[in-house]
């Protein structure tokens, strides 16, 4: 079983839709959970991070971690065409390198 | 403005040739990383360095080499021993003062082997 699993999509939604992006992981020792956004032909940029179970909100974005199920989610409310990108989940534990999911490609149409 | 600069953006190489990708950062970050990205594969770690003159292999180090002679520079050499070098290469850095998962990435270098 891979350490991080992420459905690559692609995912296509109309403008204004609520988007749900998800990852599962296998190692309960992982402590830190991140979401990166990558526009085409660019490097990824950190979007959100959380270190505990529960929800973390930042504007239209909500990151959710369920450690008991080893499941992390990113929700995008009122999606915009500018949200069209690839979203990568990333996890690690203290002192180790990040492990990235394969990324989900999102397209928001106007 | 602080950031990470990768060069060249696009590079073509003939089979059997070595090529070196440049990565420079002016963020004063201690750690630097090289990732490879292939379609549908996500990011895979090639090498990383947490301090000058020290570096560790990542998951796919075979066919690659690095050096870290200066804090701000972490060049990657793709050698002729790398069987499938055509890919998008990303350099990143991080600071101990930020969260453990907060990486700053460059714009990437796309290598194509002809």
């Amino acid at each position: 079983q891979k350490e991080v699993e992420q459905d690559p999509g692609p995912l296509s939604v109309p403008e204004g839709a609520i988007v749900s992006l998800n990852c599962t992981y296998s190692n309960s020792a992982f402590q830190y959970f991140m979401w990166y956004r990558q526009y085409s032909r660019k490097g990824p940029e950190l979007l959100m991070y959380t270190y505990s179970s529960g929800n973390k909100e930042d504007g239209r974005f909500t990151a959710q971690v369920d450690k008991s199920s080893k499941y992390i989610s990113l929700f995008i409310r009122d999606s915009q065409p500018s949200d069209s990108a690839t979203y990568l989940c990333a996890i690690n534990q203290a002192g180790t390198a990040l492990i990235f999911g394969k990324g989900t490609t999102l397209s928001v149409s106007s | 403005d602080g950031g990470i600069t990768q060069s060249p953006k696009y590079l073509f190489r003939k089979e059997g040739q070595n090529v070196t990708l440049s990565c420079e950062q002016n963020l004063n970050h201690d750690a630097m990383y090289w990732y490879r990205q292939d379609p549908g594969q996500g990011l895979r770690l090639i090498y990383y360095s947490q301090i000058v003159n020290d570096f560790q292999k990542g998951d796919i180090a075979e066919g690659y080499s690095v050096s870290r002679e200066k804090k701000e520079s972490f060049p990657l050499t793709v050698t002729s021993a790398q069987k499938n070098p055509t890919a998008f290469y990303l350099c990143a850095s991080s600071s101990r003062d930020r969260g453990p998962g907060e990486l700053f990435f460059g714009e990437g270098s796309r290598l194509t082997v002809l």
Side-chain angles (χ1 to χ4, degrees):
Chain A
Q1 182 184 9
K2 293 189 177 179
E3 292 190 281
V4 184
E5 300 272 8
Q6 182 176 11
D7 186 342
L11 184 61
S12 295
V13 301
E15 184 176 355
I18 296 174
V19 176
S20 172
L21 306 167
N22 310 293
C23 289
T24 58
Y25 62 95
S26 57
N27 188 344
S28 58
F30 291 130
Q31 301 166 281
Y32 307 108
F33 309 92
M34 278 68 63
W35 286 95
Y36 281 79
R37 178 175 62 195
Q38 184 178 23
Y39 291 113
S40 182
R41 303 180 193 277
K42 300 289 187 183
E45 56 179 341
L46 181 66
L47 190 59
M48 295 191 71
Y49 68 89
T50 182
Y51 302 154
S52 59
S53 280
N55 292 353
K56 182 175 181 179
E57 196 171 311
D58 184 2
R60 296 185 294 111
F61 298 88
T62 299
Q64 187 177 82
V65 175
D66 182 347
K67 287 189 175 182
S68 62
S69 301
K70 302 189 187 70
Y71 194 86
I72 63 175
S73 300
L74 178 70
F75 298 98
I76 307 174
R77 291 184 300 279
D78 187 26
S79 55
Q80 303 294 309
S82 58
D83 295 328
S84 298
T86 297
Y87 291 82
L88 300 129
C89 62
I91 58 175
N92 70 343
Q93 56 191 96
T96 67
L98 276 182
I99 300 171
F100 284 87
K102 292 186 176 183
T104 300
T105 300
L106 171 67
S107 176
V108 181
S109 56
S110 57
Chain B
D1 284 337
I4 297 180
T5 301
Q6 288 187 242
S7 63
K9 278 191 179 301
Y10 300 95
L11 186 61
F12 297 88
R13 185 195 97 176
K14 292 182 179 179
E15 279 194 33
Q17 289 180 334
N18 292 355
V19 62
T20 297
L21 307 180
S22 170
C23 178
E24 302 278 331
Q25 55 102 355
N26 59 3
L27 299 166
N28 199 33
H29 286 176
D30 293 299
M32 297 186 74
Y33 310 80
W34 274 105
Y35 287 89
R36 168 178 173 146
Q37 188 173 32
D38 297 282
Q41 292 293 318
L43 273 65
R44 292 184 289 169
L45 183 63
I46 304 172
Y47 269 98
Y48 65 102
S49 167
Q50 294 181 314
I51 55 172
V52 174
N53 292 322
D54 188 44
F55 47 83
Q56 288 77 41
K57 292 182 179 180
D59 299 320
I60 55 165
E62 185 175 349
Y64 300 98
S65 66
V66 294
S67 63
R68 187 87 187 275
E69 297 175 2
K70 299 186 296 181
K71 187 176 184 178
E72 57 271 20
S73 178
F74 192 41
L76 173 74
T77 296
V78 184
T79 75
S80 56
Q82 169 48 234
K83 299 303 180 191
N84 297 296
T86 295
F88 189 49
Y89 291 89
L90 287 158
C91 179
S93 68
S94 68
S95 167
R96 291 194 200 106
D97 297 333
R98 309 294 290 260
E102 189 169 0
L103 300 185
F104 291 80
F105 284 88
E107 297 264 290
S109 293
R110 188 167 296 279
L111 172 64
T112 302
V113 174
L114 305 172

PDB file of all heavy atoms in Angstrom, chain A residues 79-107:
ATOM      1  N   SER A  79     -16.235  28.000  -5.894  1.00  0.00           N
ATOM      2  CA  SER A  79     -15.062  27.826  -6.742  1.00  0.00           C
ATOM      3  C   SER A  79     -15.050  28.811  -7.907  1.00  0.00           C
ATOM      4  O   SER A  79     -16.104  29.179  -8.451  1.00  0.00           O
ATOM      5  CB  SER A  79     -14.981  26.385  -7.258  1.00  0.00           C
ATOM      6  OG  SER A  79     -16.172  26.038  -7.923  1.00  0.00           O
ATOM      7  N   GLN A  80     -13.857  29.251  -8.267  1.00  0.00           N
ATOM      8  CA  GLN A  80     -13.642  30.236  -9.309  1.00  0.00           C
ATOM      9  C   GLN A  80     -12.766  29.638 -10.411  1.00  0.00           C
ATOM     10  O   GLN A  80     -11.971  28.728 -10.151  1.00  0.00           O
ATOM     11  CB  GLN A  80     -12.951  31.461  -8.724  1.00  0.00           C
ATOM     12  CG  GLN A  80     -13.690  32.117  -7.573  1.00  0.00           C
ATOM     13  CD  GLN A  80     -15.002  32.706  -8.019  1.00  0.00           C
ATOM     14  OE1 GLN A  80     -15.056  33.460  -8.998  1.00  0.00           O
ATOM     15  NE2 GLN A  80     -16.088  32.364  -7.329  1.00  0.00           N
ATOM     16  N   PRO A  81     -12.852  30.166 -11.619  1.00  0.00           N
ATOM     17  CA  PRO A  81     -11.952  29.679 -12.680  1.00  0.00           C
ATOM     18  C   PRO A  81     -10.478  29.770 -12.292  1.00  0.00           C
ATOM     19  O   PRO A  81      -9.673  28.938 -12.714  1.00  0.00           O
ATOM     20  CB  PRO A  81     -12.294  30.587 -13.856  1.00  0.00           C
ATOM     21  CG  PRO A  81     -13.733  30.951 -13.648  1.00  0.00           C
ATOM     22  CD  PRO A  81     -13.880  31.087 -12.157  1.00  0.00           C
ATOM     23  N   SER A  82     -10.142  30.757 -11.461  1.00  0.00           N
ATOM     24  CA  SER A  82      -8.741  30.905 -11.032  1.00  0.00           C
ATOM     25  C   SER A  82      -8.301  29.786 -10.084  1.00  0.00           C
ATOM     26  O   SER A  82      -7.111  29.657  -9.790  1.00  0.00           O
ATOM     27  CB  SER A  82      -8.540  32.256 -10.338  1.00  0.00           C
ATOM     28  OG  SER A  82      -9.414  32.356  -9.223  1.00  0.00           O
ATOM     29  N   ASP A  83      -9.251  28.970  -9.615  1.00  0.00           N
ATOM     30  CA  ASP A  83      -8.904  27.815  -8.783  1.00  0.00           C
ATOM     31  C   ASP A  83      -8.469  26.625  -9.633  1.00  0.00           C
ATOM     32  O   ASP A  83      -8.032  25.602  -9.088  1.00  0.00           O
ATOM     33  CB  ASP A  83     -10.103  27.388  -7.919  1.00  0.00           C
ATOM     34  CG  ASP A  83     -10.498  28.441  -6.900  1.00  0.00           C
ATOM     35  OD1 ASP A  83      -9.604  29.177  -6.415  1.00  0.00           O
ATOM     36  OD2 ASP A  83     -11.705  28.536  -6.603  1.00  0.00           O
ATOM     37  N   SER A  84      -8.597  26.729 -10.932  1.00  0.00           N
ATOM     38  CA  SER A  84      -8.196  25.635 -11.829  1.00  0.00           C
ATOM     39  C   SER A  84      -6.698  25.408 -11.705  1.00  0.00           C
ATOM     40  O   SER A  84      -5.889  26.291 -12.025  1.00  0.00           O
ATOM     41  CB  SER A  84      -8.569  25.967 -13.276  1.00  0.00           C
ATOM     42  OG  SER A  84      -9.971  26.119 -13.423  1.00  0.00           O
ATOM     43  N   ALA A  85      -6.339  24.239 -11.231  1.00  0.00           N
ATOM     44  CA  ALA A  85      -4.941  23.925 -10.938  1.00  0.00           C
ATOM     45  C   ALA A  85      -4.878  22.460 -10.527  1.00  0.00           C
ATOM     46  O   ALA A  85      -5.898  21.773 -10.439  1.00  0.00           O
ATOM     47  CB  ALA A  85      -4.403  24.804  -9.808  1.00  0.00           C
ATOM     48  N   THR A  86      -3.673  22.000 -10.238  1.00  0.00           N
ATOM     49  CA  THR A  86      -3.492  20.687  -9.636  1.00  0.00           C
ATOM     50  C   THR A  86      -3.256  20.870  -8.146  1.00  0.00           C
ATOM     51  O   THR A  86      -2.452  21.713  -7.746  1.00  0.00           O
ATOM     52  CB  THR A  86      -2.307  19.946 -10.276  1.00  0.00           C
ATOM     53  OG1 THR A  86      -2.591  19.715 -11.661  1.00  0.00           O
ATOM     54  CG2 THR A  86      -2.055  18.604  -9.590  1.00  0.00           C
ATOM     55  N   TYR A  87      -3.974  20.092  -7.348  1.00  0.00           N
ATOM     56  CA  TYR A  87      -3.871  20.190  -5.893  1.00  0.00           C
ATOM     57  C   TYR A  87      -3.179  18.928  -5.363  1.00  0.00           C
ATOM     58  O   TYR A  87      -3.613  17.805  -5.642  1.00  0.00           O
ATOM     59  CB  TYR A  87      -5.260  20.356  -5.269  1.00  0.00           C
ATOM     60  CG  TYR A  87      -5.848  21.699  -5.602  1.00  0.00           C
ATOM     61  CD1 TYR A  87      -6.479  21.916  -6.833  1.00  0.00           C
ATOM     62  CD2 TYR A  87      -5.750  22.773  -4.716  1.00  0.00           C
ATOM     63  CE1 TYR A  87      -6.991  23.168  -7.168  1.00  0.00           C
ATOM     64  CE2 TYR A  87      -6.259  24.016  -5.031  1.00  0.00           C
ATOM     65  CZ  TYR A  87      -6.872  24.210  -6.255  1.00  0.00           C
ATOM     66  OH  TYR A  87      -7.373  25.446  -6.590  1.00  0.00           O
ATOM     67  N   LEU A  88      -2.117  19.146  -4.622  1.00  0.00           N
ATOM     68  CA  LEU A  88      -1.324  18.034  -4.098  1.00  0.00           C
ATOM     69  C   LEU A  88      -1.424  18.006  -2.577  1.00  0.00           C
ATOM     70  O   LEU A  88      -1.176  19.021  -1.926  1.00  0.00           O
ATOM     71  CB  LEU A  88       0.145  18.192  -4.477  1.00  0.00           C
ATOM     72  CG  LEU A  88       0.469  18.231  -5.968  1.00  0.00           C
ATOM     73  CD1 LEU A  88       1.330  19.426  -6.301  1.00  0.00           C
ATOM     74  CD2 LEU A  88       1.190  16.965  -6.376  1.00  0.00           C
ATOM     75  N   CYS A  89      -1.772  16.849  -2.034  1.00  0.00           N
ATOM     76  CA  CYS A  89      -1.675  16.707  -0.593  1.00  0.00           C
ATOM     77  C   CYS A  89      -0.238  16.283  -0.262  1.00  0.00           C
ATOM     78  O   CYS A  89       0.451  15.679  -1.094  1.00  0.00           O
ATOM     79  CB  CYS A  89      -2.678  15.700  -0.048  1.00  0.00           C
ATOM     80  SG  CYS A  89      -2.484  14.011  -0.647  1.00  0.00           S
ATOM     81  N   ALA A  90       0.196  16.607   0.932  1.00  0.00           N
ATOM     82  CA  ALA A  90       1.548  16.239   1.361  1.00  0.00           C
ATOM     83  C   ALA A  90       1.516  15.986   2.862  1.00  0.00           C
ATOM     84  O   ALA A  90       0.820  16.682   3.607  1.00  0.00           O
ATOM     85  CB  ALA A  90       2.543  17.343   1.026  1.00  0.00           C
ATOM     86  N   ILE A  91       2.247  14.984   3.287  1.00  0.00           N
ATOM     87  CA  ILE A  91       2.264  14.630   4.703  1.00  0.00           C
ATOM     88  C   ILE A  91       3.685  14.319   5.140  1.00  0.00           C
ATOM     89  O   ILE A  91       4.538  13.970   4.312  1.00  0.00           O
ATOM     90  CB  ILE A  91       1.372  13.405   4.993  1.00  0.00           C
ATOM     91  CG1 ILE A  91       1.834  12.192   4.162  1.00  0.00           C
ATOM     92  CG2 ILE A  91      -0.084  13.719   4.723  1.00  0.00           C
ATOM     93  CD1 ILE A  91       1.080  10.925   4.484  1.00  0.00           C
ATOM     94  N   ASN A  92       3.945  14.450   6.428  1.00  0.00           N
ATOM     95  CA  ASN A  92       5.211  13.956   6.966  1.00  0.00           C
ATOM     96  C   ASN A  92       5.140  13.881   8.478  1.00  0.00           C
ATOM     97  O   ASN A  92       4.126  14.215   9.089  1.00  0.00           O
ATOM     98  CB  ASN A  92       6.400  14.802   6.489  1.00  0.00           C
ATOM     99  CG  ASN A  92       6.438  16.194   7.103  1.00  0.00           C
ATOM    100  OD1 ASN A  92       5.444  16.667   7.643  1.00  0.00           O
ATOM    101  ND2 ASN A  92       7.568  16.845   7.000  1.00  0.00           N
ATOM    102  N   GLN A  93       6.213  13.400   9.043  1.00  0.00           N
ATOM    103  CA  GLN A  93       6.374  13.427  10.490  1.00  0.00           C
ATOM    104  C   GLN A  93       7.667  14.160  10.775  1.00  0.00           C
ATOM    105  O   GLN A  93       8.463  14.412   9.877  1.00  0.00           O
ATOM    106  CB  GLN A  93       6.387  12.007  11.060  1.00  0.00           C
ATOM    107  CG  GLN A  93       7.441  11.111  10.453  1.00  0.00           C
ATOM    108  CD  GLN A  93       7.245   9.649  10.848  1.00  0.00           C
ATOM    109  OE1 GLN A  93       6.653   8.865  10.126  1.00  0.00           O
ATOM    110  NE2 GLN A  93       7.736   9.293  12.010  1.00  0.00           N
ATOM    111  N   ALA A  94       7.869  14.539  12.010  1.00  0.00           N
ATOM    112  CA  ALA A  94       9.014  15.365  12.389  1.00  0.00           C
ATOM    113  C   ALA A  94      10.320  14.733  11.917  1.00  0.00           C
ATOM    114  O   ALA A  94      10.554  13.546  12.098  1.00  0.00           O
ATOM    115  CB  ALA A  94       9.043  15.548  13.904  1.00  0.00           C
ATOM    116  N   GLY A  95      11.152  15.552  11.279  1.00  0.00           N
ATOM    117  CA  GLY A  95      12.473  15.097  10.860  1.00  0.00           C
ATOM    118  C   GLY A  95      12.507  14.310   9.573  1.00  0.00           C
ATOM    119  O   GLY A  95      13.568  13.830   9.181  1.00  0.00           O
ATOM    120  N   THR A  96      11.404  14.179   8.903  1.00  0.00           N
ATOM    121  CA  THR A  96      11.394  13.417   7.650  1.00  0.00           C
ATOM    122  C   THR A  96      10.967  14.307   6.494  1.00  0.00           C
ATOM    123  O   THR A  96      10.368  15.359   6.683  1.00  0.00           O
ATOM    124  CB  THR A  96      10.443  12.213   7.729  1.00  0.00           C
ATOM    125  OG1 THR A  96       9.096  12.688   7.838  1.00  0.00           O
ATOM    126  CG2 THR A  96      10.765  11.341   8.926  1.00  0.00           C
ATOM    127  N   ALA A  97      11.284  13.852   5.296  1.00  0.00           N
ATOM    128  CA  ALA A  97      10.924  14.615   4.104  1.00  0.00           C
ATOM    129  C   ALA A  97       9.431  14.454   3.803  1.00  0.00           C
ATOM    130  O   ALA A  97       8.806  13.473   4.187  1.00  0.00           O
ATOM    131  CB  ALA A  97      11.752  14.148   2.918  1.00  0.00           C
ATOM    132  N   LEU A  98       8.893  15.435   3.107  1.00  0.00           N
ATOM    133  CA  LEU A  98       7.486  15.390   2.714  1.00  0.00           C
ATOM    134  C   LEU A  98       7.222  14.247   1.748  1.00  0.00           C
ATOM    135  O   LEU A  98       8.050  13.944   0.887  1.00  0.00           O
ATOM    136  CB  LEU A  98       7.093  16.686   2.012  1.00  0.00           C
ATOM    137  CG  LEU A  98       6.679  17.890   2.846  1.00  0.00           C
ATOM    138  CD1 LEU A  98       6.281  19.019   1.932  1.00  0.00           C
ATOM    139  CD2 LEU A  98       5.557  17.534   3.793  1.00  0.00           C
ATOM    140  N   ILE A  99       6.057  13.640   1.887  1.00  0.00           N
ATOM    141  CA  ILE A  99       5.581  12.655   0.927  1.00  0.00           C
ATOM    142  C   ILE A  99       4.362  13.273   0.258  1.00  0.00           C
ATOM    143  O   ILE A  99       3.411  13.676   0.931  1.00  0.00           O
ATOM    144  CB  ILE A  99       5.198  11.345   1.617  1.00  0.00           C
ATOM    145  CG1 ILE A  99       6.412  10.760   2.334  1.00  0.00           C
ATOM    146  CG2 ILE A  99       4.655  10.345   0.598  1.00  0.00           C
ATOM    147  CD1 ILE A  99       6.079   9.580   3.215  1.00  0.00           C
ATOM    148  N   PHE A 100       4.408  13.343  -1.066  1.00  0.00           N
ATOM    149  CA  PHE A 100       3.339  13.975  -1.823  1.00  0.00           C
ATOM    150  C   PHE A 100       2.396  12.937  -2.417  1.00  0.00           C
ATOM    151  O   PHE A 100       2.812  11.851  -2.825  1.00  0.00           O
ATOM    152  CB  PHE A 100       3.912  14.804  -2.973  1.00  0.00           C
ATOM    153  CG  PHE A 100       4.512  16.108  -2.542  1.00  0.00           C
ATOM    154  CD1 PHE A 100       5.834  16.182  -2.131  1.00  0.00           C
ATOM    155  CD2 PHE A 100       3.749  17.270  -2.549  1.00  0.00           C
ATOM    156  CE1 PHE A 100       6.401  17.385  -1.735  1.00  0.00           C
ATOM    157  CE2 PHE A 100       4.304  18.478  -2.146  1.00  0.00           C
ATOM    158  CZ  PHE A 100       5.620  18.540  -1.747  1.00  0.00           C
ATOM    159  N   GLY A 101       1.117  13.304  -2.492  1.00  0.00           N
ATOM    160  CA  GLY A 101       0.179  12.547  -3.287  1.00  0.00           C
ATOM    161  C   GLY A 101       0.410  12.859  -4.759  1.00  0.00           C
ATOM    162  O   GLY A 101       1.204  13.740  -5.107  1.00  0.00           O
ATOM    163  N   LYS A 102      -0.280  12.138  -5.637  1.00  0.00           N
ATOM    164  CA  LYS A 102      -0.051  12.315  -7.073  1.00  0.00           C
ATOM    165  C   LYS A 102      -0.679  13.591  -7.607  1.00  0.00           C
ATOM    166  O   LYS A 102      -0.368  14.027  -8.711  1.00  0.00           O
ATOM    167  CB  LYS A 102      -0.590  11.111  -7.842  1.00  0.00           C
ATOM    168  CG  LYS A 102       0.195   9.843  -7.588  1.00  0.00           C
ATOM    169  CD  LYS A 102      -0.293   8.713  -8.474  1.00  0.00           C
ATOM    170  CE  LYS A 102       0.572   7.475  -8.260  1.00  0.00           C
ATOM    171  NZ  LYS A 102       0.178   6.363  -9.152  1.00  0.00           N
ATOM    172  N   GLY A 103      -1.574  14.202  -6.841  1.00  0.00           N
ATOM    173  CA  GLY A 103      -2.198  15.438  -7.290  1.00  0.00           C
ATOM    174  C   GLY A 103      -3.526  15.192  -7.988  1.00  0.00           C
ATOM    175  O   GLY A 103      -3.682  14.206  -8.714  1.00  0.00           O
ATOM    176  N   THR A 104      -4.483  16.087  -7.745  1.00  0.00           N
ATOM    177  CA  THR A 104      -5.778  16.056  -8.420  1.00  0.00           C
ATOM    178  C   THR A 104      -5.894  17.300  -9.283  1.00  0.00           C
ATOM    179  O   THR A 104      -5.728  18.417  -8.786  1.00  0.00           O
ATOM    180  CB  THR A 104      -6.949  16.030  -7.415  1.00  0.00           C
ATOM    181  OG1 THR A 104      -6.846  14.874  -6.594  1.00  0.00           O
ATOM    182  CG2 THR A 104      -8.292  16.015  -8.148  1.00  0.00           C
ATOM    183  N   THR A 105      -6.166  17.112 -10.559  1.00  0.00           N
ATOM    184  CA  THR A 105      -6.311  18.245 -11.475  1.00  0.00           C
ATOM    185  C   THR A 105      -7.750  18.727 -11.469  1.00  0.00           C
ATOM    186  O   THR A 105      -8.675  17.961 -11.741  1.00  0.00           O
ATOM    187  CB  THR A 105      -5.892  17.843 -12.898  1.00  0.00           C
ATOM    188  OG1 THR A 105      -4.528  17.424 -12.878  1.00  0.00           O
ATOM    189  CG2 THR A 105      -6.021  19.024 -13.849  1.00  0.00           C
ATOM    190  N   LEU A 106      -7.941  19.992 -11.148  1.00  0.00           N
ATOM    191  CA  LEU A 106      -9.264  20.610 -11.044  1.00  0.00           C
ATOM    192  C   LEU A 106      -9.440  21.634 -12.144  1.00  0.00           C
ATOM    193  O   LEU A 106      -8.551  22.453 -12.392  1.00  0.00           O
ATOM    194  CB  LEU A 106      -9.420  21.295  -9.683  1.00  0.00           C
ATOM    195  CG  LEU A 106     -10.664  22.171  -9.496  1.00  0.00           C
ATOM    196  CD1 LEU A 106     -11.922  21.312  -9.495  1.00  0.00           C
ATOM    197  CD2 LEU A 106     -10.556  22.973  -8.190  1.00  0.00           C
ATOM    198  N   SER A 107     -10.594  21.605 -12.778  1.00  0.00           N
ATOM    199  CA  SER A 107     -10.943  22.600 -13.785  1.00  0.00           C
ATOM    200  C   SER A 107     -12.285  23.209 -13.399  1.00  0.00           C
ATOM    201  O   SER A 107     -13.272  22.482 -13.218  1.00  0.00           O
ATOM    202  CB  SER A 107     -11.026  21.947 -15.169  1.00  0.00           C
ATOM    203  OG  SER A 107     -11.451  22.887 -16.142  1.00  0.00           O
TER     204      SER A 107
END
